[in-house]
Amino acid sequence: MFVKCYTSTLVGIEAMTVAVEANISSGIGMYLVGLPDNAVKESQERIRSAFDNSGFRMTGRRLVVNLAPADLRKEGSSYDLPIAIAILAATGQTPDERLPNYVIMGELSLDGSVMPVRGALPVAIKTKAEGFAGVILPVQNACEAAVVEGLDVIGVESLKQTVEFLSGLAPIEPASVEPDEGLSASGNRYEEDFGDVRGQAHVKRALEIAAAGGHNVIMIGSPGSGKTMLARRVPSIMPPLSLEEALETTKIHSVAGKLGSENGLLTRRPFRAPHHLTSQVALVGGGSNPQPGEISLAHNGVLFLDELAEFGRSVLEVLRQPLEDKRITVSRAKYTVEYPANFTLVASTNPCPCGYYNHPTKECACTPAAVTRYMNRISGPLLDRIDMHIEVTPVTFNEMSGESAEERSEAVRERVVSARAVQRERFADCPGIHTNAMMNSKMLREYCPLTPESSAMLEKAMTRLDLSARAYDRIIKVARTIADMAAAADIAPAHIAEAINYRSLDRESWGR
């Protein structure tokens, strides 16, 4: 007897529907074909044990299970449940009338219980797009998949419960969530707040500009000056995730297996802080079983690289392309996948090996050559792609012990949201462009005309600091954001001056 049901596999962050075909004929043995990897091949033993412990029987005749398309490699354990259902339908232990209506996925435990899998959200999106009535998947993944409206999401706990549902003996109420309610309820709640940071008014101002325009930032200062504390609070001043951004971000984390069983949509902007020993593959993604890297997990959020100069040079250089293109393409001999990478880079570093170069009270023990070598670990082309360079000085005792209240993240976020609204209106006719930092050269000429005074000031800075063409563009983008925050239609010399001030590392006299 021949039976077909459907499941799904992941290609990058997108899902692809796979047909699971089971055919029973004369002979003996079970044959699993269609380019299965070892995890899929091992499903035979999990399925046999699940049948024994759930009251079902495995056929003693010749069984062939094909996973189509046969030229696409099948990886992971999510094929267990659809293969088991196809076998049961082929042996007449469950009806097959409802199988064409559902995409089925889930890992089987030896006792017949269904274990959670990765990628439930992209699978649900693909399932709806292809016209299926619903998806049957582990109950732990139900909230995640239920974000997709107009799709019956059936969460099951065991193989036996799945069979009873398909047989019509035990109806299961489809899972449901309200995405908008979740976003509005927790999108602005963060444990960290700018109000916890004493002093550092100029750094807070710079980070507010970065959040308003989507600009990349590097903070340089001595140990204990507050760089990490400030960086961890950047998500709290960024605008709340829109529903579209939340869906896209959740999809990436779902594919990477980073969502908890109780989560539906991610409601807060991601904050990723990989260690400086992180490898290139961990940062950009890929591997033998392709998965998103840290830069994609930070999509629509913040990628924080603490102690930037301690990262391997080859690791840092892979950031160049995603910083420009806002996506990363991973090409290997057997596959090519593309991951989104529209993140805000926030980096921090010490100015020298001992950390006290240019400190107001402590003496640096490093030679000038050692300081130069340390800073040269960060290449010029990478620094050129970072819009804002901020010097962070130590906080004084009076600032730390003062009783005056610091401005809370909520107040800063309101100004950031207002500036983003101006940019949203400006780029309404530019698909894929949302912030000033994403403008190309043509848009700079259209949306950022300079007055003669502003142009003269920028020309003088370009000559004195020997800035590159890319730095020229970055200064104008930052100045445009500063003007938006001031509700100014034109870029004034004061806006250009402040933007130039955020290019500290471009100065030959930096640190002296």
Side-chain angles (χ1 to χ4, degrees):
M1 181 178 178
F2 173 81
V3 168
K4 180 190 288 187
C5 67
Y6 297 93
T7 186
S8 195
T9 190
L10 297 172
V11 181
I13 64 168
E14 302 299 330
M16 176 180 291
T17 301
V18 173
V20 181
E21 302 172 334
N23 186 68
I24 295 177
S25 59
S26 59
I28 59 174
M30 178 177 176
Y31 304 90
L32 188 57
V33 297
L35 283 183
D37 73 346
N38 287 334
V40 181
K41 292 177 181 178
E42 292 171 352
S43 66
Q44 300 182 39
E45 300 307 320
R46 291 193 292 271
I47 290 171
R48 290 181 186 275
S49 296
F51 280 8
D52 291 340
N53 291 302
S54 302
F56 303 111
R57 68 181 187 279
M58 176 64 78
T59 181
R61 302 173 65 189
R62 185 174 189 269
L63 171 64
V64 178
V65 178
N66 178 46
L67 306 175
D71 61 345
L72 178 67
R73 186 162 182 80
K74 317 304 186 304
E75 300 173 338
S77 57
S78 63
Y79 297 90
D80 291 4
L81 185 58
I83 292 174
I85 293 299
I87 295 172
L88 291 174
T91 55
Q93 298 177 73
T94 185
D96 60 355
E97 290 83 4
R98 304 177 70 182
L99 294 185
N101 300 328
Y102 293 94
V103 167
I104 306 171
M105 60 187 299
E107 177 185 340
L108 282 178
S109 181
L110 298 184
D111 63 355
S113 58
V114 180
M115 310 297 290
V117 294
R118 296 186 296 113
L121 179 57
V123 168
I125 293 173
K126 185 67 172 180
T127 299
K128 181 184 178 183
E130 295 203 345
F132 289 92
V135 57
I136 300 174
L137 75 179
V139 68
Q140 296 94 327
N141 297 116
C143 288
E144 176 187 338
V147 170
V148 181
E149 297 180 353
L151 186 71
D152 288 341
V153 177
I154 308 300
V156 294
E157 297 180 353
S158 65
L159 174 61
K160 187 174 183 180
Q161 185 185 20
T162 308
V163 172
E164 290 175 346
F165 170 76
L166 291 171
S167 303
L169 301 176
I172 300 176
E173 188 70 22
S176 63
V177 296
E178 294 294 338
D180 292 330
E181 291 184 8
L183 285 172
S184 59
S186 58
N188 294 332
R189 289 198 301 237
Y190 292 88
E191 294 180 4
E192 297 88 359
D193 194 282
F194 258 31
D196 302 330
V197 183
R198 312 298 296 180
Q200 303 292 15
H202 71 292
V203 186
K204 292 179 182 179
R205 163 70 176 175
L207 293 178
E208 180 182 342
I209 295 169
H215 303 290
N216 302 312
V217 177
I218 181 171
M219 294 181 286
I220 180 167
S222 58
S225 57
K227 302 185 297 294
T228 301
M229 188 177 188
L230 285 158
R232 291 191 176 277
R233 283 153 178 78
V234 172
S236 69
I237 64 171
M238 297 178 73
L241 284 171
S242 66
L243 181 57
E244 181 182 357
E245 289 176 326
L247 282 169
E248 192 174 26
T249 306
T250 304
K251 184 194 293 187
I252 298 169
H253 285 250
S254 174
V255 169
K258 303 295 184 182
L259 291 178
S261 59
E262 73 285 352
N263 288 331
L265 273 182
L266 287 177
T267 58
R268 293 185 292 185
R269 294 191 178 271
F271 179 88
R272 305 296 299 183
H275 191 266
H276 60 261
L277 295 180
T278 296
S279 67
Q280 290 185 37
V281 173
L283 195 63
V284 304
S288 56
N289 297 326
Q291 288 198 23
E294 290 292 337
I295 62 175
S296 295
L297 292 171
H299 182 62
N300 290 324
V302 173
L303 177 67
F304 176 46
L305 300 184
D306 198 7
E307 303 299 342
L308 188 68
E310 300 296 336
F311 281 77
R313 178 125 181 177
S314 61
V315 175
L316 291 181
E317 294 309 297
V318 301
L319 289 172
R320 290 194 198 177
Q321 183 239 343
L323 282 175
E324 293 283 349
D325 299 339
K326 304 301 181 182
R327 64 181 182 275
I328 180 73
T329 302
V330 181
S331 297
R332 299 290 184 267
K334 295 184 178 180
Y335 65 82
T336 297
V337 294
E338 184 174 286
Y339 298 118
N342 184 16
F343 59 89
T344 297
L345 174 65
V346 178
S348 70
T349 185
N350 292 330
C352 66
C354 77
Y356 295 108
Y357 182 66
N358 204 34
H359 193 280
T361 58
K362 296 184 179 181
E363 185 175 353
C364 174
C366 305
T367 64
V371 175
T372 301
R373 281 196 304 270
Y374 189 78
M375 291 307 300
N376 283 344
R377 293 181 183 180
I378 309 170
S379 71
L382 179 60
L383 276 177
D384 223 19
R385 286 169 167 82
I386 299 178
D387 304 25
M388 305 173 69
H389 311 158
I390 310 167
E391 294 182 61
V392 184
T393 56
V395 181
T396 65
F397 174 79
N398 290 336
E399 289 175 323
M400 287 188 292
S401 61
E403 297 183 358
S404 59
E406 298 287 344
E407 190 175 34
R408 309 291 294 179
S409 290
E410 183 178 2
V412 180
R413 185 169 57 245
E414 289 178 359
R415 296 195 295 268
V416 170
V417 169
S418 297
R420 287 284 184 104
V422 174
Q423 296 167 62
R424 187 165 55 250
E425 182 178 353
R426 175 183 299 133
F427 304 124
D429 298 327
C430 304
I433 305 297
H434 310 292
T435 61
N436 290 330
M438 302 175 72
M439 285 190 290
N440 56 35
S441 298
K442 181 180 178 181
M443 293 177 182
L444 282 179
R445 292 190 296 270
E446 181 178 354
Y447 298 116
C448 305
L450 300 180
T451 63
E453 296 81 4
S454 299
S455 182
M457 177 177 288
L458 184 53
E459 180 183 4
K460 187 175 182 180
M462 292 285 294
T463 303
R464 293 188 59 182
L465 302 179
D466 194 22
L467 299 177
S468 68
R470 183 177 285 114
Y472 171 86
D473 288 351
R474 304 280 173 175
I475 290 173
I476 294 178
K477 291 177 184 180
V478 173
R480 178 69 268 175
T481 301
I482 296 171
D484 290 344
M485 295 176 65
D490 298 323
I491 300 177
H495 305 145
I496 290 289
E498 185 175 0
I500 294 171
N501 191 50
Y502 295 130
R503 301 295 299 186
S504 301
L505 298 182
D506 288 330
R507 304 174 193 160
E508 293 182 1
S509 62
W510 178 85
R512 291 179 170 84

